[in-house]
Amino acid sequence: MSRFKRTDKVDSLAGFRKETTQPTIPQGLLKGARKSGQLNLSGRGLTEVPQSVYRLNTDTPEEAKNNVSFGAEDRWWEQTDLTKLLLSSNQLTYLSDDIKLLPALTTLDLHDNKLNSLPASLGELQELQQLRLSHNQLRSLPVEVCTLRNLWSLTLQQNMLENLPEELGQMGNLTELDVSNNQLSVLPSSLGHLTCLQKLHLQHNKLSCLPESLVQLTGVKVLDCSNNQITNIPSSLSKMKALEQLYLRHNKIHCLPQLPAPSLKEFYIGNNQIEQLESEQLSSLSVISVLELRDNKIKSLPDQITALHSLSRLDLTNNDISTLPASLGLLPNLKALLLEGNPLRGIRRDLLTKGTNELLKYLRGRIKEEPESGDSEPCAMTLPSHARVNMHNIKTLKVLDYSQKQAVSVPDELFDAAAESNVTTVNFSKNQLTSIPSRNNQLSDLPSEMKNLSKLRCITLNYNRFKSFPQVLYEIVSLETVLLGNNQVGAVDPALLQKLVHLSTLDLSNNDLLNIPPELGLCTGLRCLSLEGNPFRTPRAAIVAKGTDAVLEYLRGRIPT
């Protein structure tokens, strides 16, 4: 009797231990999965997959053991095989070999866990079509996964993969492959065997080149190679006839690839080192709609850019362009033309802030500006609105006259012409004005709450009354562009500016800066620094005229050692 009690006691503890280590899944959820073939266990804090899940279609259900009478809907022996298993956003560190007990799976979602390896038995899930493994800690992909011939979607982004198996090319039905945000420095040559591929995501890796086998990927529509270390684009890319979206941002590319791409509609190649655009490279982009060339070193645009009749967005922000072809204004579908951060001549800086329509109107106006013979009004300036402004009166007599025009409003161009001339007399009489024309703002400070704008990239504060660089802007680390021209700023803090690691454009023109701190030269991320129109003596005007790189280099040379 005593021996029986001891045995009973031991068994009891063993059962208790088993229950504490095995996570439990509600029986109702498992019962529903047998009927629907789908089981969603996402976000349940699981550290391991319960055996009851693996054995869902092999073991007699618990309710059948406890109840021998079944209604029509409870006939468990007519259950549906599990085809969809969602285990995302848990705490899984491993997957058991028992996953092979679910051979009917077509979708297996394991993203957002802590997996650092995968079992070879995954290769036995030959019905699998979607395998989601992103946001884990995988360092390698087992070769067995490459035998999943029915797989059409494989997502592996945000892991620690340093290479991909050469056997990857066996997955002939793959249409979507995402290996972005890993540690890949090279790609397997067998990548070219994935001839059904339509979306290929390679961004945020350590790739310095792309395999020539890309020539075989004639069905790819989206290719993203952004944020790598690529210096040259293989000529094979030109064979990707189906390509519609191409992303090459943040690489080390010096030359725009020539792409006879009949389908390419969106091309993003910003943040590279391109200095020149060849007309041949542009002429092949026959259906391009979006062309992003921002943050390069482009000095001019060839006239052939006007042949891109489908172009709706052209981003040339932060380049070295000094002149624009006036015919750019004739592009029929252009809705967004971005030029901020270029040393443009002949185009007033504030005109860039008025939007694409005004800018294109100005360019079209320049086409019509050819002076007729006998036209002798050297003191008159033709504006985009075709009004005439007497510059002699503005500059010499300090008079702004827009009288007897029967106008209902005063064009902005008038104020632009008088912006720096200290006008003392304004005459808007004998018009049809219904209100006093408003011009500029009178801001002198910004609220500290603005620091919560954690995604703010660009702020325009031109023509206000700031006497110092707004303190809160130093705290918005996402800022890329700060426009503070035509204020009364007397000083900036270079140490705080250095913390704005994304800042590439800083306009401090026409302010009250008496000296430029040498430490400003340490803000090496600046691609465009505008300082003209300030009363400082150094750097000299000749150095400022050479551009941002020259100014920053000069300032660094003056830092005390």
Side-chain angles (χ1 to χ4, degrees), residues 348 361-362 365 369 375 377 379-391 394 400-407 409-415 417 431:
R348 296 181 311 278
K361 190 163 89 171
Y362 168 77
E369 274 181 11
D375 185 5
E377 285 191 57
C379 294
M381 181 178 88
T382 303
L383 298 168
S385 62
H386 306 297
R388 289 201 176 267
V389 179
N390 193 320
M391 293 301 295
I394 291 176
L400 178 60
D401 188 355
Y402 195 72
S403 59
Q404 303 185 61
K405 302 289 186 184
Q406 299 300 307
S409 63
V410 180
D412 282 348
E413 288 82 355
L414 237 69
F415 294 105
N431 281 295

Side-chain angles (χ1 to χ4, degrees), residues 254-518:
H254 290 269
C255 183
L256 192 70
Q258 188 168 342
L259 297 172
S263 304
L264 192 61
K265 295 173 183 172
E266 299 181 21
F267 189 11
Y268 304 88
I269 194 167
N271 294 90
N272 277 281
Q273 299 172 23
I274 298 170
E275 296 185 6
Q276 190 171 357
L277 298 179
E278 301 289 347
S279 56
E280 296 81 12
Q281 297 163 334
L282 293 175
S283 60
S284 61
L285 303 175
S286 55
V287 297
I288 197 77
S289 174
V290 177
L291 181 56
E292 183 202 82
L293 293 160
R294 65 172 297 143
D295 292 285
N296 277 285
K297 299 178 180 180
I298 299 167
K299 294 179 173 60
S300 63
L301 296 179
D303 288 331
Q304 285 77 5
I305 199 165
T306 58
L308 306 182
H309 297 298
S310 300
L311 197 61
S312 63
R313 180 182 177 86
L314 177 59
D315 190 348
L316 295 163
T317 304
N318 296 340
N319 275 282
D320 298 329
I321 299 169
S322 58
T323 59
L324 291 175
S327 54
L328 197 61
L330 299 178
L331 282 173
N333 295 300
L334 195 58
K335 301 292 189 298
L337 175 59
L338 307 177
L339 291 163
E340 190 61 54
N342 282 280
L344 292 167
R345 298 180 191 137
I347 298 181
R348 296 181 311 278
R349 180 169 294 276
D350 61 297
L351 183 60
L352 301 179
T353 66
K354 291 181 179 177
T356 298
N357 287 338
E358 287 297 314
L359 187 54
L360 295 179
K361 190 163 89 171
Y362 168 77
L363 291 173
R364 288 193 294 271
R366 261 180 31 189
I367 297 174
K368 302 172 184 177
E369 274 181 11
E370 295 296 325
E372 298 178 10
S373 58
D375 185 5
S376 57
E377 285 191 57
C379 294
M381 181 178 88
T382 303
L383 298 168
S385 62
H386 306 297
R388 289 201 176 267
V389 179
N390 193 320
M391 293 301 295
H392 174 76
N393 285 353
I394 291 176
K395 290 186 174 180
T396 307
L397 305 178
K398 309 300 182 186
V399 173
L400 178 60
D401 188 355
Y402 195 72
S403 59
Q404 303 185 61
K405 302 289 186 184
Q406 299 300 307
V408 296
S409 63
V410 180
D412 282 348
E413 288 82 355
L414 237 69
F415 294 105
D416 297 337
E420 299 175 17
S421 298
N422 298 317
V423 167
T424 60
T425 303
V426 177
N427 184 2
F428 294 151
S429 63
K430 296 185 179 179
N431 281 295
Q432 298 181 28
L433 303 177
T434 57
S435 61
I436 298 173
S438 60
R439 183 65 174 171
N440 305 325
N441 292 306
Q442 299 182 21
L443 296 174
S444 59
D445 198 8
L446 296 176
S448 60
E449 290 80 5
M450 281 187 66
K451 65 184 178 185
N452 297 321
L453 301 177
S454 58
K455 296 184 179 180
L456 186 65
R457 296 171 58 185
C458 175
I459 185 165
T460 302
L461 298 167
N462 295 331
Y463 294 99
N464 277 285
R465 296 186 177 182
F466 290 97
K467 294 185 181 296
S468 61
F469 193 93
Q471 195 68 26
V472 69
L473 295 188
Y474 291 126
E475 302 181 53
I476 307 177
V477 294
S478 59
L479 278 173
E480 297 175 2
T481 301
V482 176
L483 306 181
L484 259 170
N486 294 277
N487 279 278
Q488 301 162 31
V489 175
V492 293
D493 188 329
L496 294 178
L497 276 177
Q498 287 177 50
K499 296 180 180 180
L500 301 181
V501 293
H502 301 291
L503 188 64
S504 59
T505 299
L506 176 59
D507 182 1
L508 293 168
S509 59
N510 301 318
N511 275 284
D512 295 338
L513 294 169
L514 290 172
N515 63 78
I516 305 299

